[in-house]
Amino acid sequence: MELRQLEYFMAVCHELHFTRAAEKLGIAQPSLSQQIRLLEHEIGTPLFDRIGKKTVITEAGKTLLHHSYNVFHELSQARAAISEIQGLKRGSLKIGALLTVVNYLLPPTVIGFHRSYPNVELSVLGLRTGDIYNGLLQNELDLGIVYLPMEHDDLETIPLYKENLALALPADHPLAQESFVTLDILKETPSVLLPSTYFLRQLINEQCRALAFTPQPIMEMTTMESIINMVAQGLGVTILPKGYLDYISHPHIQIIPIQNPVPTTQIGVVYRKNKYLCAASRVFMEQLITTIKSKSMD
């Protein structure tokens, strides 16, 4: 059994389509199929069921996939440990961060880290919470910056800070001069919100249900930038993290605090418990915590 075969096998598991997996791997589809057949021959059982045009992982395939993750996880741990022998002169660090914090929270830490350790390859990906969760468990990410709680037996979390949500509305809106609003505004005013599959929307829905109603936005959009554009055009109001709203400082948007209750989110760092926490990860987290403390004292 070769590592290359396991890599091919994992690609087919992710895509559940041989042609797409071959394209992702940069090889010909017949070559991929041949390698999977060789792997199945060595294992002694089918790893996939081909049902018409559908590819389904067998129970044996699911077992092999679990152990394949462990194999590549151990290899990445070995690389991290060896890189640490070299100090921070080389290596890589891959971080998945919420789209809400990529722009206004991470730049000082990213810039400072790169200046101190220019030879460490740093990748920061703006992702949804669920994608970060899967990326950590599949060893595709070293660190995640997410909304808490994020619970899993294999994950460790470190709370960083709490952030209030706030109302954003057109600058010429009748409520733009109010000192504060309550969540009831979503019952009475047209709104543009994230879809219900997003953590922030779920949080808003949960707090609204406590007030005996469920938000019914006139429009749902998957990016905060598009939501802000719709609000600026006068289509409705929205609720987003205050830090993000302050950061963009849109000239046609007014920000109003929400009270009674104040909706808040908890931001934290998450990583795998059994993952070797290399020097790069530790240093980055230390610098991130320092950045957050300095912001809170401003």
Side-chain angles (χ1 to χ4, degrees), residues 31-52:
S31 297
L32 174 60
S33 297
Q34 181 185 22
Q35 290 299 320
I36 296 300
R37 284 195 296 270
L38 290 172
L39 183 59
E40 289 177 325
H41 177 74
E42 185 169 351
I43 295 293
T45 188
L47 300 172
F48 300 99
D49 282 330
R50 288 80 167 178
I51 305 173

Side-chain angles (χ1 to χ4, degrees), residues 224-293:
M224 289 177 292
E225 181 181 4
S226 60
I227 289 175
I228 288 298
N229 287 337
M230 294 300 102
V231 172
Q233 294 295 322
L235 269 70
V237 304
T238 194
I239 294 178
L240 291 172
K242 187 175 184 300
Y244 172 77
L245 294 172
D246 288 338
Y247 171 78
I248 61 171
S249 188
H250 197 290
H252 302 300
I253 295 289
Q254 183 68 28
I255 305 169
I256 307 292
I258 302 172
Q259 296 183 10
N260 303 322
V262 179
T264 62
T265 59
Q266 174 81 63
I267 305 294
V269 172
V270 61
Y271 57 91
R272 282 192 66 145
K273 290 179 180 178
N274 61 348
K275 187 177 182 68
Y276 183 83
L277 202 59
C278 66
S281 296
R282 294 196 300 270
V283 170
F284 187 90
M285 284 197 294
E286 290 168 2
Q287 293 191 358
L288 179 59
I289 291 170
T290 299
T291 298
I292 291 169
K293 287 182 177 178

Side-chain angles (χ1 to χ4, degrees), residues 106-118 122 124 284 287 291:
L106 289 186
T109 303
V110 169
I111 292 169
F113 183 89
H114 177 70
R115 286 175 176 168
S116 299
Y117 311 105
L122 181 61
V124 180
F284 187 90
Q287 293 191 358
T291 298

Side-chain angles (χ1 to χ4, degrees), residues 188-236:
E188 305 160 355
T189 308
S191 62
V192 183
L193 301 175
L194 291 164
S196 57
T197 53
Y198 283 61
F199 181 91
L200 275 178
R201 175 65 184 281
Q202 293 169 5
L203 175 65
I204 292 168
N205 284 356
E206 180 181 341
Q207 298 215 7
C208 288
R209 280 194 292 269
L211 300 174
F213 78 97
T214 300
Q216 300 294 331
I218 62 168
M219 188 179 299
E220 294 181 337
M221 307 196 79
T222 59
T223 69
M224 289 177 292
E225 181 181 4
S226 60
I227 289 175
I228 288 298
N229 287 337
M230 294 300 102
V231 172
Q233 294 295 322
L235 269 70

